[in-house]
Amino acid sequence: MTPETLTIALTALLVDALIGWPDALYRRISHPVVWIGRLISALDARWNRGRHRIARGAVAVAVTLGAAVIPALLLTWALAGLPFGPVILGVLAWPLVATRSLHDHVAAVARPLAAGDVPAARAAVAMIVGRDLDDRPEPIARAALESLAENASDGVVAPLFWAAVAGLPGIAAYKAINTLDSMIGHMSPRHALFGRVAARLDDLVNLPASRLTGLLFVAAAGSRRAWRVMRRDAHRHRSPNAGWPEGAMAGALDVRLSGPRRYHGVESLEPWLNAGARDPGAADLLRGLALYRRAMALLGLGLALALAL
């Protein structure tokens, strides 16, 4: 980490926290992640066939990384040495951070759920999770909290971590890998082989940030229970990374997360995190959002302090 890369990360966080990605801008130019997704879709359609699918998937990963990282390297080179170069690069990195978007999507679930409008909350949570949900408030709150915890790592802390480590190329590379994983890195019959390299690479690059996100939640909660549950239960999660922020969130709120769920009518029997606790409700979702805001404030403070040292 250097003062330049820390400036990039802090600038991206501050700009995104202040304005997010405005709808007008999305309508005009879409979003860089959408651009990456279009490339991945084209590569998937063209190369995910026949023999040697693991190798073909690895080449797709390399092509996607090149498409994301090479422009970032060129921009970094072009702005090197300019007085406000790192700030400009931070603004360019801003679309790759989802601080405000994540908060707004989860708040869109919390508001109707707190008002007793369960169908509206269910419709809102369907925008951020893919599992089957009924009209009970507890599974809706649980799904939203899990999404908040996991995506705090994937959508905010991890991109900023890699920005702080390697500047604009670092955050661009991370976002390409994470988008690859979300699109082809799952165990469906079509992608079990083609997406294997993407999935393994995503697990690797998310390893440090997932632990850091859990620690941020623990610090923001000021709770020994959050630390204890995270340490005890993180490894029980199906993901090598998501259990850390979800475990910390479960312990901080003293609710149970993860556990059994259904996808397209098929039940997935996953273990609970903080198994002895109660199911979360609307009030816990609001508390989770407050915890998220404090954790992200701590992240910004940490970046600022690192830059000042």
Side-chain angles (χ1 to χ4, degrees):
M1 297 183 187
T2 66
E4 291 77 16
T5 59
L6 288 167
T7 299
I8 291 168
L10 183 59
T11 301
L13 174 61
L14 291 176
V15 174
D16 185 69
L18 287 172
I19 64 174
W21 189 250
D23 289 340
L25 194 56
Y26 183 86
R27 288 192 297 269
R28 191 173 186 86
I29 65 169
S30 188
H31 190 277
V33 173
V34 176
W35 307 342
I36 296 171
R38 288 172 182 161
L39 172 61
I40 296 167
S41 293
L43 295 173
D44 184 26
R46 186 175 183 86
W47 290 348
N48 187 7
R49 62 182 70 179
R51 301 169 59 190
H52 310 301
R53 293 200 187 194
I54 295 176
R56 288 169 177 263
V59 175
V61 169
V63 169
T64 305
L65 277 170
V69 172
I70 290 172
L73 286 169
L74 292 173
L75 286 165
T76 301
W77 174 79
L79 294 170
L82 295 182
F84 295 101
V87 174
I88 297 170
L89 290 169
V91 173
L92 292 171
W94 143 54
L96 304 180
V97 183
T99 320
R100 191 179 185 111
S101 173
L102 174 59
H103 182 278
D104 290 350
H105 276 88
V106 177
V109 181
R111 285 191 297 269
L113 197 63
D117 189 351
V118 177
R122 181 185 178 188
V125 82
M127 301 295 292
I128 55 175
V129 301
R131 72 187 68 172
D132 301 340
L133 291 167
D134 55 31
D135 283 333
R136 292 176 297 141
E138 292 82 7
I140 294 172
R142 174 159 62 99
L145 278 172
E146 290 168 10
S147 181
L148 178 64
E150 182 175 0
N151 286 293
S153 177
D154 293 359
V156 184
V157 179
L160 291 173
F161 173 84
W162 289 109
V165 169
L168 186 62
I171 192 173
Y174 170 78
K175 209 62 186 179
I177 292 167
N178 189 242
T179 308
L180 279 158
D181 178 66
S182 68
M183 294 184 67
I184 65 171
H186 37 83
M187 292 302 294
S188 66
R190 176 172 175 79
H191 292 114
L193 296 178
F194 187 74
R196 183 175 297 178
V197 172
R200 297 296 180 268
L201 193 55
D202 186 72
D203 287 344
L204 180 64
V205 298
N206 275 298
L207 190 148
S210 61
R211 278 72 176 165
L212 177 57
T213 307
L215 291 174
L216 286 168
F217 284 147
V218 169
S223 165
R224 292 182 180 179
R225 183 177 57 238
W227 168 257
R228 186 170 61 251
V229 172
M230 180 183 72
R231 287 290 306 275
R232 184 191 68 206
D233 291 353
H235 71 280
R236 297 178 182 174
H237 200 281
R238 67 192 183 282
S239 162
N241 294 315
W244 294 86
E246 288 187 27
M249 178 74 77
L253 303 179
D254 198 19
V255 297
R256 62 178 184 172
L257 296 177
S258 193
R261 73 275 314 278
R262 285 182 175 272
Y263 294 98
H264 308 294
V266 179
E267 188 170 19
S268 177
L269 296 175
E270 297 174 13
W272 291 101
L273 304 179
N274 202 23
R278 59 184 172 80
D279 287 320
D284 299 303
L285 187 51
L286 293 170
R287 291 169 58 217
L289 281 166
L291 179 66
Y292 169 78
R293 291 191 294 269
R294 294 196 300 272
M296 295 306 101
L298 286 176
L299 175 61
L301 179 61
L303 288 169
L305 288 174
L307 184 59
L309 293 177

